[in-house]
Amino acid sequence: MTRLCLSVAPVILLSVCVSPASPSTVNPCCYYPCQNKGVCMRVGWEDYECDCTRTGYFGINCTLPEFWTRLRVLLKPSPAVYHFILTHCKWLWDIINTTFVRDTLMKLVLTVRANLIPSPPTYNSAYGYISWESYANVSYFTRVLPPVPEDCPTPMGTSGKKQLPDPQLLAEKFLLRRQFQRDPRGTNLMFAFFAQHFTHQFFKTSGKMGPGFTKALGHGVDLGHLYGDNLERQHQLRLFKDGKLKYQLRDGEMYPPTVLEAEVHMIYPPGTPKEKKLAVGQEVFGLLPGLMMYATLWLREHNRVCEVLKQEHPTWSDEQLFQTARLVLIGETIKIVVEEYVQHLSGYFLRLKFDPELLFDVQFQYRNRIAVEFNQLYHWHGLMPDSFVIQGKEYSYQQFIYNTSMLMDYGVEALVESFSKQIAGKVGGGQSINTHLLKVAVGVIEESRLLRLQPFNEYRKRFSMKPYKSFQELTGEEEKAAALEELYGDINALEFYPGLLLEKPQPNSMFGESMVETGAPFSLKGLFGNPICSPEYWKPSTFGGAAGFEIVKTASLQKLVCRNVRRCPFVSFHVPEPSTETGTTGDHQAKNPSTEL
């Protein structure tokens, strides 16, 4: 049995080495003594053990590397080094992308990233230790790190002050936007709304059940935002003819039905007429025209794919057409997310590839669980501008939110083109969130405290990054660092979500290092861990034969839009270059007040 007073710094001896009966005994796991993914287990009143099994390390605190671990650490470049390599020397990457080396590197990216996510899941917000409940109860979000023990001296363990800073004060001082700043990578609102609509299928916190619970029991890409998250809702949205979903026609174009035609619960302001309430799978999509625009595109795509499948298989039932079309759309979604959405996020010159067969010869689990940490980090409200410009007309937040007529008044093409041309705001570095959205950030901070998330630096260590030694190192700004020091008292007491947003961004990047290194493993594991990517599913027959399989393998954002509208507009996740349209991007930007602030 290892005595804590033999393995921790002398400065904490007085608070730990006391008699078992003493009420001042500190849970030794509050000090996070176990390193390199070692598991801390309290033993008796004063002792602990670190389980170093299969970590590649040994010793009291799992700090002594085994031979092969020492060699791997010696040869492995830091995240900053390989980020630099992947974002420089474009001419070299243009060559690599045309050779077999691309597949080799993509396979390496997938295996290294995915292996950082525990599968099967380990913890949830009720159980900070391995339990059957953590595995089997899918009503919970899972967790990568267990909660901070309840009996610790400070909210973050042992570091920092006994009381965390007021969430509202924290948000107003460090997260509230003073002046609109453009995203340095040219990200547009088409990307911002895609991020929102895509993640709302698996980020569905269940407030009624308590913190740490989710209503999205699919835990991944299942297109619940289109089909609903339960069978009753799905049936209300289905036409039950030729596999199609219900719809309405306006000027010959297809739109979602109203709640009069599909009786599902949708969230709209009180007094909204039922004929103005559009009905889709995700109940909150009426909030923003950009979300309903994507819902409309996927509705049209589903019904279009059903027609393709019916032509190929005239004997198929409505049920088989519907179920197969859903699999095709899931495949299309993952293809677009990997090769366009994640590609844009990464800024890498390595061209990412959606090819499930890359993983067929390695051990890989085709089941995913959404983690609390992934849900927390994906709040990128800094992308939202200060106003919205549709065909040259500016709309304030009050005019844009719950605007139930904008979609059909302007049409899908106009919204796609307008959102593709309007620059999004920067996310990383702090002071990036519009005042109308600040309450969301406050809510995220409050939720993280209810869930007792471990400190930001503990997550950096968990995802193979070096912990920051100071707020100055985190932010790169003396004034901001001093203000954070005053509020938190210690860099090791900094909370997870504020740390992600306040970290200095990498050059020409949307975020800091931690957002990328923490978020990418969750994302890639969730995408390639989808059942359709498994050897049992990834074959033409799953998608209705060669025609359906080809739709999946050749999917793109442009095809999603242009196959479902009359006129193909400019569509991209990046604002257009001056040469890509009549009139320069600068001319367009001048009409957007957000870019002038």
Side-chain angles (χ1 to χ4, degrees):
M1 192 70 70
T2 303
R3 299 284 294 180
L4 178 63
C5 49
L6 296 178
S7 57
V8 294
V11 71
I12 62 173
L13 289 179
L14 291 177
S15 64
V16 179
C17 296
V18 292
S19 65
S22 171
S24 63
T25 299
V26 174
N27 180 348
C29 292
C30 293
Y31 294 95
Y32 311 115
C34 305
Q35 304 300 301
N36 300 303
K37 303 180 187 177
V39 177
C40 183
M41 183 170 61
R42 189 174 187 178
V43 180
W45 288 91
E46 304 175 19
D47 298 333
Y48 71 95
E49 288 180 354
C50 288
D51 187 347
C52 308
T53 306
R54 287 182 290 278
T55 63
Y57 292 82
F58 64 97
I60 293 173
N61 293 331
C62 308
T63 55
L64 302 175
E66 298 170 357
F67 173 76
W68 291 112
T69 302
R70 188 184 300 274
L71 186 62
R72 186 179 70 250
V73 171
L74 183 66
L75 297 176
K76 182 182 177 182
S78 69
V81 170
Y82 64 69
H83 180 84
F84 179 87
I85 294 171
L86 288 165
T87 56
H88 288 77
C89 301
K90 185 178 184 299
W91 63 271
L92 178 59
W93 287 108
D94 287 342
I95 297 172
I96 291 173
N97 287 330
T98 62
T99 70
F100 72 93
V101 178
R102 178 196 177 198
D103 284 0
T104 302
L105 292 175
M106 186 67 202
K107 182 177 179 179
L108 180 64
V109 168
L110 290 173
T111 52
V112 170
R113 295 291 199 192
N115 286 339
L116 288 169
I117 304 302
S119 185
T122 48
Y123 312 110
N124 65 27
S125 295
Y127 295 89
Y129 49 88
I130 298 292
S131 68
W132 185 255
E133 186 74 6
S134 295
Y135 165 76
N137 191 342
V138 296
S139 297
Y140 279 101
F141 287 111
T142 186
R143 296 177 71 130
V144 172
L145 290 179
V148 176
E150 292 182 330
D151 53 353
C152 292
T154 73
M156 291 289 101
T158 57
S159 300
K161 301 182 178 182
K162 292 187 178 295
Q163 185 172 353
L164 290 168
D166 177 69
Q168 186 69 35
L169 171 66
L170 197 62
E172 290 178 358
K173 189 174 182 65
F174 298 102
L175 304 181
L176 178 63
R177 177 183 295 162
R178 272 64 170 174
Q179 183 179 26
F180 180 85
Q181 296 183 56
R182 300 160 54 104
D183 174 74
R185 303 207 59 251
T187 304
N188 59 25
L189 294 194
M190 194 69 179
F191 177 93
F193 287 126
F194 189 95
Q196 280 188 298
H197 107 277
F198 169 69
T199 58
H200 271 71
Q201 64 191 298
F202 45 78
F203 291 153
K204 298 188 71 175
T205 301
S206 177
K208 292 181 180 179
M209 297 176 68
F213 286 92
T214 176
K215 292 185 289 184
L217 304 185
H219 283 271
V221 181
D222 60 3
L223 270 62
H225 56 336
L226 175 62
Y227 303 113
D229 57 9
N230 59 73
L231 194 59
E232 181 182 0
R233 190 176 183 93
Q234 178 199 116
H235 284 180
Q236 286 291 342
L237 294 167
R238 285 176 60 177
L239 189 61
F240 287 105
K241 181 180 179 182
D242 298 334
K244 294 184 177 181
L245 295 169
K246 290 178 180 177
Y247 61 91
Q248 61 172 308
L249 293 176
R250 290 288 187 93
D251 298 326
E253 293 195 291
M254 187 182 297
Y255 291 96
T258 68
V259 294
L260 294 171
E261 301 157 304
E263 297 180 2
V264 296
H265 171 65
M266 294 294 295
I267 299 175
Y268 286 94
T272 304
K274 287 189 174 181
E275 61 271 16
K276 294 282 190 179
K277 295 180 180 180
L278 298 183
V280 296
Q282 175 39 282
E283 61 266 27
V284 304
F285 271 19
L287 174 69
L288 296 168
L291 300 179
M292 198 59 77
M293 174 200 71
Y294 272 113
T296 302
L297 283 168
W298 286 115
L299 166 67
R300 294 179 182 181
E301 179 67 1
H302 175 92
N303 287 352
R304 186 191 74 83
V305 169
C306 284
E307 291 176 358
V308 173
L309 293 174
K310 184 172 177 60
Q311 187 174 1
E312 292 282 319
H313 309 284
T315 62
W316 277 14
S317 66
D318 165 77
E319 188 68 19
Q320 188 165 4
L321 289 168
F322 170 81
Q323 296 294 347
T324 305
R326 180 173 187 168
L327 292 174
V328 170
L329 263 68
I330 290 172
E332 288 186 83
T333 297
I334 298 176
K335 168 84 169 178
I336 293 169
V337 170
V338 171
E339 296 193 359
E340 298 182 67
Y341 177 82
V342 176
Q343 181 76 66
H344 179 82
L345 271 174
S346 70
Y348 294 165
F349 289 139
L350 169 65
R351 191 151 49 89
L352 303 183
K353 184 178 185 180
F354 174 54
D355 182 1
E357 294 184 22
L358 292 173
L359 297 172
F360 284 0
D361 63 345
V362 299
Q363 184 179 7
F364 198 80
Q365 295 198 28
Y366 294 96
R367 187 184 182 190
N368 188 56
R369 285 282 293 277
I370 298 298
V372 159
E373 295 94 345
F374 194 34
N375 187 13
Q376 282 263 317
L377 71 81
Y378 228 116
H379 287 80
W380 300 342
H381 291 87
L383 290 170
M384 288 291 107
D386 289 334
S387 62
F388 304 85
V389 178
I390 312 297
Q391 290 191 330
K393 183 176 179 180
E394 180 188 356
Y395 290 86
S396 66
Y397 272 80
Q398 290 86 347
Q399 295 169 316
F400 191 74
I401 291 174
Y402 289 116
N403 190 325
T404 57
S405 62
M406 180 176 283
L407 175 65
M408 285 183 274
D409 286 349
Y410 279 105
V412 171
E413 296 100 318
L415 293 188
V416 166
E417 190 156 89
S418 295
F419 294 149
S420 293
K421 291 180 178 179
Q422 184 171 357
I423 193 80
K426 81 175 185 71
V427 178
Q431 297 184 336
S432 61
I433 301 177
N434 181 277
T435 183
H436 292 92
L437 302 172
L438 194 66
K439 62 182 179 181
V440 181
V442 173
V444 174
I445 296 170
E446 291 174 339
E447 181 188 56
S448 73
R449 295 177 183 182
L450 286 173
L451 298 172
R452 306 198 316 280
L453 261 65
Q454 289 193 23
F456 177 64
N457 261 344
E458 293 303 312
Y459 281 100
R460 282 194 50 93
K461 290 190 285 186
R462 175 59 179 75
F463 286 91
S464 304
M465 294 173 281
K466 291 183 179 180
Y468 284 116
K469 297 178 181 178
S470 67
F471 288 105
Q472 171 71 38
E473 186 183 9
L474 168 80
T475 65
E477 300 178 29
E478 290 186 11
E479 185 177 342
K480 186 180 295 183
L484 286 167
E485 181 83 42
E486 182 180 352
L487 287 177
Y488 282 102
D490 191 326
I491 185 63
N492 291 315
L494 179 65
E495 297 168 273
F496 179 62
Y497 180 63
L500 290 168
L501 291 190
L502 296 176
E503 184 179 34
K504 57 183 180 295
Q506 294 175 304
N508 194 35
S509 177
M510 299 174 66
F511 313 112
E513 177 184 73
S514 301
M515 184 78 80
V516 176
E517 297 301 314
T518 307
F522 287 120
S523 179
L524 294 176
K525 174 64 174 71
L527 294 168
F528 283 84
N530 192 283
I532 72 156
C533 299
S534 69
E536 291 297 321
Y537 279 57
W538 188 251
K539 56 186 72 172
S541 56
T542 299
F543 306 98
F549 206 23
E550 185 67 13
I551 291 173
V552 172
K553 293 194 291 184
T554 61
S556 70
L557 181 67
Q558 186 173 35
K559 286 181 179 178
L560 172 65
V561 173
C562 295
R563 284 176 174 171
N564 293 294
V565 295
R566 291 171 177 169
R567 175 187 65 84
C568 187
F570 172 75
V571 52
S572 175
F573 286 146
H574 190 285
V575 291
E577 301 296 335
S579 59
T580 61
E581 60 174 344
T582 304
T584 66
T585 304
D587 292 337
H588 171 81
Q589 299 299 342
K591 299 175 183 178
N592 179 2
S594 296
T595 63
E596 297 173 345
L597 295 174

